[in-house]
Amino acid sequence: MKMEEEKSSFASSSTDDDCVTYYDDDPDKHFDALKMNSSLLTRLAVSPQVVPFSMDRGIEFGKNVGRNTHLKCLDIDMTCLEDDDPVRSSETAESFCSGFSANRSLNQLILIDFIIGRSQLERLMPFFAYNDQLVAIVIQSNFPREADAMADALRLRKRESSIKLLTISSSRVSCESVPAIIELARACPQLRMLDLSKNRIGNEGCNAIAAYLQSERCKLTKIFIEDNQIGNCGMRVLANSIRSNRRLTHLLFDGNKEEGRLTSLDPFADTLCNRSSIN
């Protein structure tokens, strides 16, 4: 199985298999079903390219998601919108998040090119703190250093977080943002897969990841950090961190470059030669 298929398989196994997906160009059908809390609508993929959005509709959409009790998977893709589109404004995003935060039914949330900043995360805190169904979070956006705000919300929970999959890929994550993301991972004791691929973690960002991999709290079985500008120094740090790790089965780190050259995987030679658990 190819690695991308492996990621998709892991994500789909975390959600309902019998979800109904509405990919249709009739926005009224989407929003009416959502507003009426239809039990038939359990998986919804929304893109302004397919379903035209306005500021008012975006805000109403957030409120309807918040009130919905049947929706299991929500996929919002804002890629097609221009940067200056009013729907992209921080005010619209904040209003959307305020309404959305009341939802307690979603088990998978996918946000692509969606504005996420400190103010949006703070408004989403009730969703992360009190939704016991949430299993998978997939974000491809300009993810902020303030990911610890989400971690703070998860620590407010009376029961431990149910999140098993966390993807923050293609999000321009730099080394400065990695500690906050790792704090988020630590707040998810059931986390099994962490995908940080196609970012800009670099050598410095590997220190926080390595510390997490060495901790008793880490239960990861899969971690993906390919295409992250990690050099030989970072590879050595990561290789040393998994010497005594007996839970990790999948580690993907190819495509990393330093000064335009592919990074050598030699630091992993001794570790992987003695590790039957990693594929």
Side-chain angles (χ1 to χ4, degrees):
M1 181 182 290
K2 295 180 180 179
M3 197 56 67
E4 288 302 321
E5 294 174 344
E6 183 74 30
K7 295 180 185 181
S8 298
S9 174
F10 191 97
S12 62
S13 68
S14 302
T15 58
D16 294 345
D17 294 328
D18 59 348
C19 288
V20 176
T21 306
Y22 280 56
Y23 284 101
D24 146 348
D25 59 0
D26 182 356
D28 291 333
K29 184 176 181 178
H30 286 85
F31 289 100
D32 285 348
L34 189 66
K35 187 175 182 178
M36 294 172 61
N37 200 17
S38 170
S39 61
L40 295 177
L41 184 64
T42 58
R43 182 181 180 94
L44 179 60
V46 176
S47 169
Q49 188 172 13
V50 178
V51 182
F53 258 57
S54 64
M55 290 181 64
D56 290 342
R57 171 147 283 189
I59 293 170
E60 181 187 0
F61 179 61
K63 292 178 179 178
N64 289 338
V65 171
R67 289 190 288 258
N68 193 282
T69 60
H70 297 291
L71 199 62
K72 301 300 181 184
C73 176
L74 179 62
D75 181 341
I76 302 177
D77 186 347
M78 309 281 280
T79 306
C80 68
L81 291 181
E82 299 293 336
D83 290 341
D84 59 353
D85 192 298
V87 177
R88 278 194 179 278
S89 70
S90 58
E91 293 80 9
T92 302
E94 289 168 8
S95 297
F96 169 83
C97 290
S98 294
F100 174 95
S101 65
N103 180 275
R104 302 292 181 266
S105 67
L106 284 178
N107 58 34
Q108 185 173 10
L109 176 62
I110 303 170
L111 300 176
I112 301 176
D113 211 18
F114 185 88
I115 292 178
I116 302 176
R118 183 81 186 191
S119 59
Q120 286 79 28
L121 285 176
E122 288 176 347
R123 284 164 174 75
L124 285 173
M125 285 183 75
F127 170 74
F128 294 114
Y130 303 116
N131 184 341
D132 292 330
Q133 310 302 318
L134 191 60
V135 174
I137 301 174
V138 178
I139 295 175
Q140 294 181 8
S141 182
N142 189 9
F143 204 69
R145 301 180 188 181
E146 297 88 351
D148 51 352
M150 194 184 298
D152 290 341
L154 293 174
R155 293 191 183 98
L156 291 174
R157 298 171 60 90
K158 293 181 180 179
R159 289 182 286 182
E160 69 177 30
S161 169
S162 55
I163 297 171
K164 296 181 180 179
L165 179 152
L166 177 61
T167 293
I168 304 176
S169 64
S170 304
S171 298
R172 300 184 286 278
V173 172
S174 63
C175 60
E176 291 87 357
S177 302
V178 175
I181 292 175
I182 294 303
E183 282 304 303
L184 174 57
R186 289 179 184 274
C188 304
Q190 295 189 41
L191 192 65
R192 297 296 182 269
M193 174 177 154
L194 179 62
D195 183 358
L196 299 178
S197 58
K198 299 178 182 178
N199 286 303
R200 299 179 294 205
I201 289 173
N203 290 329
E204 292 184 24
C206 292
N207 295 319
I209 297 173
Y212 175 53
L213 290 173
Q214 289 176 304
S215 69
E216 289 294 325
R217 194 170 180 80
C218 177
K219 300 296 190 297
L220 288 182
T221 59
K222 299 176 174 68
I223 183 168
F224 306 107
I225 49 176
E226 71 270 27
D227 296 320
N228 259 297
Q229 302 177 13
I230 299 173
N232 291 327
C233 179
M235 288 296 182
R236 284 193 293 272
V237 170
L238 293 172
N240 290 332
S241 73
I242 63 171
R243 286 186 181 277
S244 59
N245 188 309
R246 293 295 178 265
R247 293 178 294 271
L248 206 60
T249 60
H250 291 73
L251 172 62
L252 184 63
F253 44 67
D254 60 350
N256 281 289
K257 295 181 179 181
E258 189 173 37
E259 296 180 355
R261 297 182 179 181
L262 282 173
T263 303
S264 171
L265 304 182
D266 289 347
F268 285 92
D270 291 340
T271 302
L272 297 183
C273 284
N274 295 312
R275 290 295 314 281
S276 59
S277 65
I278 294 184
N279 296 325

